[in-house]
Amino acid sequence: MAGDNDSFFKTIRCRILLGLAVLAVIGILVQFGRLAFIPVKNINYTKIEAERGAIVDRNGAPLAVQTVFYDIGYTPSKVKNPDEFAGRMAPVLGLSKEAVLSNLSEHDGKKFAYLRKKVDQSVYQDVKTVTDEFGYNYVTFDKVPGRIYPNHSLASHLIGYMGNEGKGMSGIEYSQQEILASTEKDGIFESGKNVYLTIDADLQYRLEQIAFETVKETQCQSMMMIAANATTGEILSYISLPEVDLNEYGSASREQQFDHLRMEAYEPGSVFKIFTVSILYDEGRITQTDSFLCDGMYEYRKPGSEAIRIKCLEKHGWLTPRDAISYSCNDAIGQISDRISEDDFIARIRGLGFGQKTGIELSGESAALVKDTSSPSWSGRSKPTIAIGQEITVSALQMVQAATAIANGGVPVKLSVINRVTNKDGTLYYEHKPEYKERVFKSETASYVLSCMETTSLRGNGTRANISDISIGTKTGTAEMADKEKGGYSDTDFISSCIGIFPTEEPEIILYVVIEKAKGEVYGGRIAAPVIQKAANTIIDHLGMSRGGAASLEHNGMISVPRSARVEVGETVPDFTGLNKRELSPLLDKKNLNINIHGSGWVTSQNPEPGTPVTENMTIELYLEQ
C-alpha cells in the first residue's frame, strides 16, 4: 500500500514540474518575440590604444617614438604555386625571390611560418595590396608595437633600445621601463609618460662630429666624451664610441652595444692628480709655497723593505704643488702623498665617490675599484701609485662627479640624465632638481686647485686645451692600460685623457675626454687636450656664453691683462721677446713647425734670431723667465 502511494505522488510531482517548464519556455519565446521587433540601437565601441611614452631631448626634440610594425606570416601548406607566390611577394617584402623560395622550402607543409617580421606601414600596405589582389588569404598580419629612433645612432648608449616584446633592453629605455610603458588596469588604458633627457640633441650632434673626427685622426679603439653642467649635475652631452644605430640594434656587435661611459672601469692616470692635491691641501698637509725636488725618480724606502721607485718623465727641479699639477710630475705628487696616512688617503678618495656608483638614472653602472689598505694586493707602492692615477679604477661618470666638487666650491652634485617627465597630456610628473652631496673640500681648496688647473692650461701640459677668450682649467693624463693576457701593463695600449672646467672664475661646464688605444701619438696633452679645446668652443658658442676679457697671466698672483694680437709666423721668424706662454700656445698646433718652449713666464731669448727665413719643419727654441 505504501509503495502505491509513493508512485502516485511521484507522478503528480513530475506532471507539475513539466507544466512549469512548458510555461517557462512559452514565456521566454514570448519575450524573445517582443524584443525581436524593438529597433536595435547602434553601439559605438571605442578601441583605446595606449602608447609607450616618448624619449625626447631637453627641448622636446624626438629621440625615441612609438610606432606600429607588422609581423607577416603565412600557411606554407596552402601555397599552390611557390614560384609564382615568391615572384609576387618578394618585391613588396623587400626580399629576393630566392629568399622567399628558401623560406617556403624550409617550412614546406607546415601550418604557419613568418615571411618577415617588424615591417613598417608602407611595406604592410604594399604586401596587403598584393595579397588582396591575388587572393592570398593565407597570409596574415600581426600588429606589434614598435619604436623608431629618428636620429639613428645619436646618443645611442644613453637612449637605449626597446626589444620586440615592448620592453626596454638598454639605456633609458630599460632603466625607465616602468615610466615609459603603457598600462592597463580593470579595462582602463593609460599611456606611458614622456621622458625629457638633459642632453641637447643639436649640441650632442656637434660634439659627436668632433668625436668622430678624433677617432679617425687617432685611429683609437674607443672614445668617451661627457659634458655636464657644473652646478646642476645635468649631463649636456653623452658620447661613447663606437656607437650603434638603434634602428639596427639587433645586428650590432657587442663592442658597439657597450657603453664605455657607465660600464667601463679603467685607470685614470694623471688627471687623478687634481684629487690627490685637493685632498692633501684640504688636510693641511701641504701649502701653496711648499717645494718638492724632482730629480726624475720618486724613491721611498720603508724600514725593512725594498725601495719604491716611480719614474717621472723629466727632471723638473723644485716644484710647488701648482707646478706639480701643471707639469704632471710623478715625483712631486709621490712626495706629496707621503704626507698623509694610507687609511686617511683612501677614506678621502672614497668620500669623493670613487669605488661606488654615482646613482645616475641608468642601469649597469660600474662601481670600479678602490683598494682597501688591508687588501692582499696592497703594497708599499700602492699609495704613491694611486696618487698618480694607477692601482685604482674609475668610471668616466665618477671622474666628472668628483670634479663637480672642485667646480662647486667643495660641494659635489649628483649627475643626472633626466631633465623632467611629463604625462601624455603634457602635465608635469617629475622635474629634476640639483641634489647636492655633503661638502668634501673647503671652498679655499676648490678655488686653489681650480687655479692650478688654469695654470696648467696657460703654461703646463694642458696648453693645447687653452681657449683664447674664456678661462679654462685643465688636467691631462696618459695611463698605461693593463695587459690582460700577460699581466702587468701594456707597452702599446694607453688611455689618453683630459678634463676641463670653464669659466674658472664662475664654473659652468665640466668637459671630460678619454681616448683609448690610440695609434701613434698617445700623450693626453697632445691628442686629448685639443679635443677639449674644440668641444669647449662648440659648447660656448652653442650656449651663447660670454666671450672676451678672460685672458690672464700669472705674476705674483693672478692679474687680468688685455689680450695681445695673435702671433703669426710668416716667411721669417718673428721676434717673440716679451710674449707669454698663453700667447705662444697657438703656435703649438702648427704642423710645419717644431716649437720648443723652455721655462715659464715671458720670452727672454730665442733661437733662431728674428728675421731668419722660415723653412719646412723648422725647430724654434724659446726661452722663458719669470
Side-chain angles (χ1 to χ4, degrees):
M1 186 71 179
D4 293 338
N5 288 336
D6 289 342
S7 299
F8 174 77
F9 286 115
K10 286 180 180 179
T11 302
I12 294 297
R13 283 197 297 269
C14 288
R15 288 175 179 176
I16 292 172
L17 290 172
L18 181 61
L20 291 174
V22 170
L23 290 173
V25 170
I26 292 171
I28 292 171
L29 291 173
V30 171
Q31 181 70 6
F32 179 80
R34 186 177 65 83
L35 292 173
F37 289 98
I38 297 176
V40 178
K41 294 180 180 180
N42 291 325
I43 301 174
N44 294 322
Y45 293 95
T46 302
K47 185 180 180 181
I48 302 175
E49 291 190 2
E51 293 186 350
R52 184 178 180 86
I55 300 175
V56 299
D57 83 340
R58 67 186 303 114
N59 302 312
L63 301 173
V65 293
Q66 180 78 4
T67 189
V68 173
F69 290 114
Y70 296 86
D71 289 344
I72 302 177
Y74 73 118
T75 305
S77 61
K78 291 188 177 182
V79 178
K80 304 304 180 184
N81 189 329
D83 191 73
E84 181 186 85
F85 178 80
R88 290 169 177 169
M89 295 294 289
V92 290
L93 283 168
L95 301 172
S96 67
K97 182 178 179 180
E98 290 72 20
V100 177
L101 286 171
S102 176
N103 187 298
L104 281 161
S105 176
E106 182 182 351
H107 302 100
D108 185 34
K110 292 184 179 179
K111 293 183 178 180
F112 182 79
Y114 282 110
L115 276 169
R116 190 177 168 193
K117 288 188 173 184
K118 288 190 70 175
V119 303
D120 59 27
Q121 184 72 26
S122 63
V123 174
Y124 159 74
Q125 292 289 358
D126 291 342
V127 175
K128 188 75 166 58
T129 299
V130 171
T131 57
D132 289 347
E133 181 181 352
F134 296 102
Y136 296 152
N137 56 9
Y138 47 82
V139 174
T140 62
F141 305 90
D142 295 331
K143 198 175 181 180
V144 293
R147 208 67 156 160
I148 287 180
Y149 302 95
N151 297 294
H152 297 274
S153 64
L154 186 83
S156 56
H157 294 94
L158 173 58
I159 298 166
Y161 171 74
M162 188 193 81
N164 293 335
E165 303 301 320
K167 294 182 179 180
M169 303 296 287
S170 66
I172 287 294
E173 291 275 34
Y174 177 81
S175 67
Q176 303 305 306
Q177 169 67 20
E178 292 186 5
I179 293 290
L180 292 164
S182 59
T183 58
E184 183 272 326
K185 185 177 181 181
D186 299 329
I188 299 175
F189 296 83
E190 185 176 347
S191 293
K193 297 174 176 61
N194 298 325
V195 175
Y196 286 72
L197 301 182
T198 56
I199 66 168
D200 180 314
D202 185 38
L203 178 61
Q204 176 80 16
Y205 173 79
R206 293 168 186 266
L207 294 181
E208 282 190 8
Q209 298 312 300
I210 294 173
F212 293 145
E213 180 184 340
T214 302
V215 170
K216 183 178 180 180
E217 290 176 352
T218 63
Q219 299 181 56
C220 63
Q221 181 172 294
S222 58
M223 179 179 173
M224 298 175 253
M225 185 192 298
I226 183 170
N229 185 302
T231 57
T232 68
E234 290 194 344
I235 291 176
L236 305 179
S237 182
Y238 189 104
I239 300 172
S240 174
L241 300 182
E243 79 288 8
V244 56
D245 186 336
L246 295 174
N247 295 308
E248 304 293 338
Y249 191 88
S251 60
S253 67
R254 291 180 63 87
E255 178 59 23
Q256 288 175 307
Q257 295 175 2
F258 185 78
D259 183 357
H260 292 268
L261 276 174
R262 76 175 188 271
M263 300 173 73
E264 182 176 358
Y266 60 93
E267 293 188 354
S270 294
V271 173
F272 197 80
K273 291 172 182 175
I274 60 175
F275 302 118
T276 297
V277 172
S278 296
I279 290 169
L280 271 293
Y281 188 83
D282 202 67
E283 289 278 335
R285 309 298 175 87
I286 57 174
T287 68
Q288 297 184 30
T289 57
D290 284 347
S291 290
F292 302 89
L293 178 61
C294 169
D295 59 5
M297 179 76 72
Y298 166 80
E299 294 187 83
Y300 179 76
R301 183 189 296 273
K302 277 189 172 182
S305 63
E306 62 179 271
I308 299 162
R309 293 184 176 86
I310 299 175
K311 290 183 179 180
C312 194
L313 291 176
E314 296 182 37
K315 295 182 179 180
H316 293 108
W318 288 99
L319 301 177
T320 64
R322 180 185 299 274
D323 297 325
I325 288 178
S326 296
Y327 299 118
S328 201
C329 178
N330 289 343
D331 190 351
I333 296 295
Q335 294 178 56
I336 287 172
S337 73
D338 288 341
R339 298 190 177 187
I340 190 171
S341 71
E342 295 174 340
D343 288 331
D344 287 346
F345 188 45
I346 293 300
R348 290 299 300 261
I349 288 173
R350 291 187 183 280
L352 285 169
F354 294 107
Q356 56 191 288
K357 298 177 181 181
T358 66
I360 200 169
E361 306 95 336
L362 292 166
S363 62
E365 183 184 359
S366 172
L369 180 64
V370 177
K371 284 185 180 181
D372 289 321
T373 56
S374 58
S375 168
S377 62
W378 186 273
S379 68
R381 66 181 294 116
S382 292
K383 184 177 63 170
T385 304
I386 291 172
I388 64 173
Q390 294 184 327
E391 279 195 49
I392 180 175
T393 61
V394 303
S395 72
L397 294 175
Q398 288 174 346
M399 289 292 284
V400 173
Q401 184 160 281
T404 64
I406 295 175
N408 283 314
V411 180
V413 58
K414 183 179 178 180
L415 298 182
S416 175
V417 291
I418 296 180
N419 176 267
R420 63 190 185 277
V421 177
T422 66
N423 296 308
K424 196 65 178 179
D425 60 5
T427 57
L428 190 65
Y429 175 80
Y430 162 83
E431 186 173 22
H432 171 258
K433 289 180 174 56
E435 184 179 330
Y436 296 101
K437 297 176 176 290
E438 292 185 5
R439 177 177 290 279
V440 293
F441 297 132
K442 303 180 185 72
S443 59
E444 178 193 351
T445 299
S447 178
Y448 169 65
V449 173
L450 188 55
S451 75
C452 292
M453 293 174 67
E454 183 175 10
T455 301
T456 304
S457 71
L458 292 172
R459 62 177 178 83
N461 291 353
T463 53
R464 296 193 179 200
N466 188 26
I467 308 169
S468 61
D469 50 7
I470 282 188
S471 58
I472 183 170
T474 61
K475 182 68 191 81
T476 63
T478 309
E480 298 168 312
M481 297 184 71
D483 189 326
K484 295 180 180 180
E485 294 183 2
K486 300 179 181 177
Y489 289 99
S490 171
D491 296 327
T492 57
D493 297 337
F494 295 85
I495 288 181
S496 314
S497 60
C498 187
I499 196 166
I501 301 176
F502 59 93
T504 54
E505 58 271 15
E506 193 171 343
E508 294 182 39
I509 302 295
I510 298 172
L511 183 59
Y512 184 46
V513 169
V514 181
I515 301 170
E516 295 185 289
K517 297 185 179 181
K519 295 181 180 179
E521 182 62 70
V522 297
Y523 285 109
R526 291 187 173 273
I527 64 173
V531 181
I532 290 286
Q533 184 191 67
K534 292 178 186 177
N537 275 311
T538 297
I539 292 170
I540 290 164
D541 290 340
H542 183 83
L543 298 181
M545 296 169 66
S546 177
R547 285 185 177 271
S552 61
L553 282 173
E554 279 188 287
H555 183 68
N556 297 325
M558 305 299 289
I559 306 171
S560 179
V561 298
R563 180 70 182 153
S564 301
R566 182 179 176 87
V567 180
E568 296 291 347
V569 179
E571 296 181 357
T572 61
V573 176
D575 186 354
F576 294 102
T577 304
L579 298 179
N580 58 71
K581 269 197 174 180
R582 183 176 189 134
E583 294 166 317
L584 296 171
S585 61
L587 298 177
L588 299 176
D589 293 326
K590 290 188 174 295
K591 296 181 178 179
N592 61 336
L593 292 175
N594 298 311
I595 307 295
N596 295 332
I597 300 175
H598 307 276
S600 60
W602 295 266
V603 177
T604 57
S605 62
Q606 67 182 73
N607 183 33
E609 295 295 322
T612 303
V614 173
T615 58
E616 187 73 16
N617 296 320
M618 170 184 276
T619 297
I620 300 176
E621 307 284 347
L622 302 176
Y623 300 90
L624 285 65
E625 294 182 12
Q626 295 279 12

